[in-house]
Amino acid sequence: MTTFAKGLEGIIAAETNMSWIDGTNGVLEYVGINIDELARNSTFEETVYLLWNKKLPTRAQLEEFTKELREHYKVADGIKDRIKSIPSTAEPMHVLRSLISELAFYDDNPNANDVESARHKAINILGQAPGIVAMYDRARRGLDPIEPDTSLTFSENFLYMLNGEKPTETMARAFDICMITHADHGLNNSTFAARVVISTLSDVYSALTAAVGSLRGPLHGGANEGVMKMLNEIPSVDDVEDYVMNKLKNKDRIMGFGHRVYKAKDPRAKDLQKLAKQLATDTGNEALYEKSSKIEEIMEREVGSKGIYPNVDFYSATTYHCIGLKLDLFTPMFAMSRLGGWSGHVIEQLGDNRLFRPKAQFIGEHGVPYVAIDDR
Amino acid sequence: MTTFAKGLEGIIAAETNMSWIDGTNGVLEYVGINIDELARNSTFEETVYLLWNKKLPTRAQLEEFTKELREHYKVADGIKDRIKSIPSTAEPMHVLRSLISELAFYDDNPNANDVESARHKAINILGQAPGIVAMYDRARRGLDPIEPDTSLTFSENFLYMLNGEKPTETMARAFDICMITHADHGLNNSTFAARVVISTLSDVYSALTAAVGSLRGPLHGGANEGVMKMLNEIPSVDDVEDYVMNKLKNKDRIMGFGHRVYKAKDPRAKDLQKLAKQLATDTGNEALYEKSSKIEEIMEREVGSKGIYPNVDFYSATTYHCIGLKLDLFTPMFAMSRLGGWSGHVIEQLGDNRLFRPKAQFIGEHGVPYVAIDDR
């Protein structure tokens, strides 16, 4: 049977037992566990283990996984050197994409893609990604790199390598919840790209590089940057009403609202909303939170009945801003978290692979003659 | 409507007026023109212009396109420096993927993706790709880089930058025909990956990087390396019969035979077969050609009735070997050519974009409780 589905809407392209989304009711589960429960109780490390192994780890399993991940916090010397020579104008997403790709140079056997090897390569990439982002951000600010601290969690260590000081407990927990809630989300574009690329039996580096490239698009991971730009455009909470109504009148898009999948409030936004509020208070960013909250109130009043609600990008923007991240680091944060999900999908795909090879519909003429250049 | 199609087999995922394949009869057309006519009469530059513009260029249009392409033969200084520090053990496909990604660092506005900007970025990448491959290959052999010669065609210039001397006319033409015949081929995996990634409105660098990663897989571009390894395993033409019959008996795969799409002889293989024969004679590789030819004869006798015929990889392997390319440069050659097709698909996708966002079928349990670690 042959079907044309633009954007593959409605087409099932893979089976998974990682995440499940009920868009109508606004529910997200990882391996059957509600995202709210994970956000409250789990850690990013445990969540990644869950996604890859389809079960929560015992204490010993979690310790073993965490130990291996920490052994990969240190960025390969060749990558560290390369970071120093990258022009400081380069966007961090281009840097992350390129350097995840380059990690293959420093792997003795980068193409091994039996399921067990793929896990170790995924840990190699997931372990080094925070260091790559942190070191590049410091380099472009003219600061020396900070070596990792393997006594710290994934989230703590990233914030330490970025800022040179250990984060407060609230900040580390807030950041870790962002990592947990962004780790997987069905067959989104970047996850699909990773599965498409690994399906040629290429390699984990190729697959995750492709996913980073997809995520940087404004229709995908780039959206939370748009939210922050919008918040910066609005001078104060008193200007929100006019700003939003004006956008709606002109049929402009309000960034951070609406989602192809969710027709109810994005379940991930609920957790982030609480978090954003607490962090905004802690860090003196109350005005920003109030603007966000006011936008949501007006949008619910005006278009809530159409199923247009805040999505995960809306509150992650506020959160990352309060953590002190520059705008162009927002999408790399999303990537660092989603590396967990992408890797899980690569492992799933390798476990039951079939090459993705859809058809194109040819819409031109046939049997066109080749005409010599002077007769054209 | 919801359909599960493993590997998206039979699903139409895009419209195109670039290439069209009639697998049953073994026909391939680019923009309606038969690949045989293009292989005989066209050049790679003209073919790329055709794919991007859906018409053959006038002389003035071809000159303008060629001029811009030649202006990009020179590899960016930052990339040239990086090549020197890449470990010489790195596989050229990992290098090409990483450095196409890094070209974004040296573009003032890498994310512009209106159709016109996308064309210029594609030319930037297509122009530099041969230099990247040639310079890396020379660097790992301990040789100094050769600067490009902008008086040469795409194919001539690559062979010049690789070998330090201008190719013979036969060699340049043979190579150019390889470039023409590999430039586009419907919605193969790497082309599909490029369209998936650009559909987030990411950028041309991200899309083409993803495509290179896909192509390096053994189920896709990596296949011609497998053919060469097989040819090297067979001591002489007299050993072919036993080798092939033994493989068939054990149900092992004969590399370079069969294709998901073609059930007749791959039309691209016809052109390459002639070429491979001529080149083998010119370069003293008659024995290699005879082995290939003998394999084809036995395969036709044994399994031709099942629609298993040589595919494009089968004769491109012989061709590249005769040109003097090392085995791990075979797939980069494919990539250099296919950059033309990938870019054309990126341009098409940007012209009528819709985000690729298929669904996954969740096959696990729902409503699983979060159990505290000591109770697991």
Side-chain angles (χ1 to χ4, degrees):
Chain A
M1 189 198 53
T2 295
T3 313
F4 179 36
K6 201 169 181 182
L8 292 174
E9 185 159 5
I11 298 289
I12 297 171
E15 291 179 325
T16 183
N17 53 0
M18 290 170 58
S19 60
W20 177 75
I21 302 159
D22 174 354
T24 312
N25 298 305
V27 174
L28 171 63
E29 290 177 350
Y30 289 172
V31 196
I33 304 177
N34 196 292
I35 192 69
D36 292 329
E37 283 203 73
L38 291 166
R40 275 199 307 275
N41 301 304
S42 190
T43 62
F44 181 58
E45 287 85 341
E46 182 179 80
T47 298
V48 172
Y49 185 98
L50 171 70
L51 289 168
W52 294 8
N53 296 281
K54 325 297 171 163
K55 60 172 203 276
L56 290 168
T58 62
R59 196 176 288 279
Q61 287 166 335
L62 184 59
E63 273 167 15
E64 190 192 339
F65 178 77
T66 301
K67 182 167 176 284
E68 185 176 348
L69 185 66
R70 292 183 184 194
E71 283 164 5
H72 289 89
Y73 282 175
K74 191 170 155 41
V75 173
D77 289 338
I79 298 290
K80 235 176 101 176
D81 289 343
R82 176 55 179 143
I83 287 172
K84 289 180 204 150
S85 65
I86 294 174
S88 63
T89 50
E91 183 191 290
M93 279 299 279
H94 289 300
V95 173
L96 183 62
R97 183 191 62 229
S98 302
L99 299 188
I100 283 179
S101 177
E102 290 208 353
L103 287 177
F105 303 165
Y106 306 97
D107 181 329
D108 290 342
N109 188 17
N111 303 339
N113 52 26
D114 58 283
V115 168
E116 201 45 37
S117 298
R119 279 166 189 269
H120 293 298
K121 290 177 198 318
I123 290 176
N124 182 38
I125 296 169
L126 184 64
Q128 292 187 66
I132 288 171
V133 175
M135 284 183 174
Y136 174 65
D137 186 58
R138 291 185 67 85
R140 67 176 175 165
R141 289 188 278 153
L143 300 172
D144 285 335
I146 309 273
E147 288 301 320
D149 179 341
T150 55
S151 74
L152 301 177
T153 68
F154 180 88
S155 292
E156 288 166 348
N157 179 59
F158 167 69
L159 293 167
Y160 171 66
M161 289 182 79
L162 187 76
N163 297 323
E165 55 186 41
K166 292 183 188 170
T168 64
E169 206 177 303
T170 309
M171 203 164 270
R173 182 66 196 151
F175 189 82
D176 207 47
I177 295 178
C178 283
M179 293 294 109
I180 293 169
T181 52
H182 286 74
D184 195 42
H185 202 243
L187 213 52
N188 56 85
N189 185 284
S190 54
T191 298
F192 181 50
R195 290 187 84 127
V196 167
V197 169
I198 199 67
S199 82
T200 70
L201 299 182
S202 53
D203 61 283
V204 180
Y205 300 96
S206 290
L208 300 188
T209 298
V212 176
S214 151
L215 191 73
R216 77 154 297 289
L219 299 186
H220 192 5
N224 56 9
E225 293 190 21
V227 173
M228 197 63 224
K229 284 179 196 152
M230 176 181 76
L231 289 171
N232 287 336
E233 265 174 42
I234 306 174
S236 81
V237 67
D238 299 333
D239 303 295
V240 171
E241 177 90 28
D242 284 356
Y243 181 92
V244 174
M245 293 308 289
N246 200 37
K247 285 262 182 191
L248 289 175
K249 203 178 76 188
N250 296 328
K251 298 197 190 309
D252 286 346
R253 193 164 167 219
I254 306 283
M255 299 304 293
F257 280 80
H259 193 280
R260 171 96 77 102
V261 170
Y262 293 117
K263 300 306 170 205
K265 191 165 173 178
D266 185 334
R268 302 167 300 172
K270 286 186 262 174
D271 298 303
L272 282 173
Q273 185 174 12
K274 285 180 232 156
L275 199 66
K277 190 172 182 178
Q278 185 188 337
L279 259 178
T281 309
D282 286 2
T283 58
N285 282 293
E286 291 89 347
L288 191 76
Y289 179 77
E290 284 165 17
K291 282 191 272 183
S292 304
S293 195
K294 185 78 182 172
I295 295 171
E296 186 176 358
E297 184 189 314
I298 299 167
M299 288 294 282
E300 185 151 5
R301 184 186 77 205
E302 297 294 325
V303 295
S305 62
K306 294 180 192 161
I308 299 173
Y309 289 96
N311 58 41
V312 70
D313 304 311
F314 188 66
Y315 283 103
S316 68
T318 311
T319 305
Y320 291 143
H321 176 81
C322 292
I323 284 175
L325 297 174
K326 279 202 284 292
L327 195 57
D328 64 3
L329 291 179
F330 285 23
T331 313
M333 296 306 98
F334 192 168
M336 272 164 42
S337 162
R338 189 58 60 88
L339 277 169
W342 293 330
S343 303
H345 280 271
V346 163
I347 292 165
E348 271 191 350
Q349 184 69 31
L350 286 170
D352 181 26
N353 188 51
R354 166 132 197 170
L355 180 68
F356 281 97
R357 210 309 182 189
K359 284 182 171 180
Q361 178 80 53
F362 183 73
I363 54 170
E365 282 178 80
H366 292 296
V368 175
Y370 180 89
V371 176
I373 194 160
D374 291 321
D375 301 331
R376 286 173 201 162
Chain B
M1 189 197 53
T2 295
T3 312
F4 180 37
K6 201 169 181 183
L8 292 174
E9 185 157 7
I11 298 290
I12 298 172
E15 292 181 324
T16 184
N17 53 0
M18 290 171 60
S19 59
W20 176 74
I21 303 158
D22 174 355
T24 312
N25 297 303
V27 175
L28 171 63
E29 290 177 350
Y30 289 172
V31 194
I33 304 176
N34 195 291
I35 193 69
D36 292 331
E37 284 203 72
L38 290 166
R40 275 199 307 276
N41 301 303
S42 191
T43 62
F44 181 58
E45 287 85 340
E46 183 178 81
T47 298
V48 172
Y49 184 98
L50 171 70
L51 289 168
W52 294 8
N53 297 280
K54 326 296 171 162
K55 60 172 204 273
L56 291 167
T58 63
R59 196 175 287 281
Q61 286 165 336
L62 184 59
E63 274 167 15
E64 190 192 338
F65 178 77
T66 301
K67 183 168 175 284
E68 185 176 347
L69 185 66
R70 292 183 185 195
E71 283 164 4
H72 290 89
Y73 282 175
K74 190 170 156 38
V75 173
D77 289 338
I79 298 290
K80 236 176 102 176
D81 289 342
R82 175 56 179 141
I83 287 172
K84 288 179 206 152
S85 64
I86 295 174
S88 63
T89 49
E91 184 192 288
M93 280 299 278
H94 289 300
V95 173
L96 183 62
R97 183 191 62 229
S98 303
L99 298 189
I100 284 180
S101 177
E102 290 208 353
L103 287 176
F105 303 164
Y106 306 97
D107 182 329
D108 289 341
N109 188 17
N111 303 339
N113 53 24
D114 58 283
V115 168
E116 201 46 36
S117 298
R119 280 167 188 268
H120 294 297
K121 290 179 199 314
I123 290 176
N124 182 38
I125 296 168
L126 184 64
Q128 292 186 67
I132 288 170
V133 175
M135 284 183 174
Y136 174 65
D137 186 57
R138 290 183 69 84
R140 66 177 175 164
R141 288 187 280 152
L143 300 172
D144 285 334
I146 309 273
E147 288 302 319
D149 180 341
T150 56
S151 74
L152 301 177
T153 67
F154 179 89
S155 292
E156 288 166 350
N157 178 60
F158 167 70
L159 294 168
Y160 171 66
M161 288 182 80
L162 186 76
N163 297 323
E165 56 185 40
K166 292 182 188 172
T168 65
E169 205 177 304
T170 309
M171 204 164 270
R173 182 67 194 149
F175 189 82
D176 208 47
I177 295 178
C178 282
M179 293 294 109
I180 292 169
T181 52
H182 286 73
D184 195 41
H185 202 245
L187 213 53
N188 55 85
N189 185 285
S190 55
T191 299
F192 181 50
R195 290 187 84 128
V196 167
V197 169
I198 199 68
S199 82
T200 70
L201 299 181
S202 53
D203 61 285
V204 180
Y205 299 96
S206 290
L208 301 187
T209 298
V212 175
S214 151
L215 192 74
R216 76 155 297 289
L219 299 187
H220 192 3
N224 56 11
E225 292 189 20
V227 173
M228 197 63 223
K229 284 180 196 154
M230 175 180 77
L231 289 170
N232 288 335
E233 263 175 43
I234 306 174
S236 83
V237 69
D238 298 332
D239 303 296
V240 170
E241 177 90 28
D242 284 355
Y243 180 91
V244 173
M245 293 307 289
N246 201 37
K247 285 261 183 194
L248 289 174
K249 204 178 74 189
N250 295 328
K251 299 199 189 309
D252 285 346
R253 196 167 164 215
I254 306 283
M255 298 305 291
F257 280 80
H259 193 281
R260 170 99 76 105
V261 170
Y262 293 117
K263 299 306 167 203
K265 190 165 172 178
D266 185 334
R268 302 166 300 173
K270 285 186 263 176
D271 297 303
L272 283 173
Q273 184 174 13
K274 285 180 230 158
L275 198 68
K277 190 173 182 177
Q278 186 187 335
L279 259 178
T281 309
D282 286 3
T283 57
N285 282 295
E286 291 88 347
L288 190 75
Y289 179 78
E290 283 165 19
K291 282 191 272 184
S292 304
S293 196
K294 186 76 182 173
I295 294 172
E296 185 175 0
E297 186 190 313
I298 298 168
M299 287 295 281
E300 185 152 5
R301 185 187 76 205
E302 297 294 326
V303 293
S305 61
K306 294 181 193 163
I308 299 173
Y309 289 96
N311 58 42
V312 69
D313 304 311
F314 188 68
Y315 283 103
S316 68
T318 311
T319 305
Y320 291 143
H321 177 82
C322 292
I323 285 174
L325 297 174
K326 278 200 285 289
L327 195 57
D328 64 4
L329 291 179
F330 286 22
T331 313
M333 297 303 98
F334 193 168
M336 272 164 45
S337 163
R338 189 57 59 88
L339 278 170
W342 293 331
S343 302
H345 280 272
V346 164
I347 292 165
E348 271 190 349
Q349 183 71 31
L350 286 171
D352 181 25
N353 187 50
R354 166 131 198 172
L355 179 69
F356 282 97
R357 210 310 180 188
K359 285 182 172 179
Q361 178 80 53
F362 183 73
I363 53 170
E365 281 179 79
H366 292 297
V368 176
Y370 180 88
V371 176
I373 195 159
D374 290 321
D375 301 331
R376 288 173 200 160

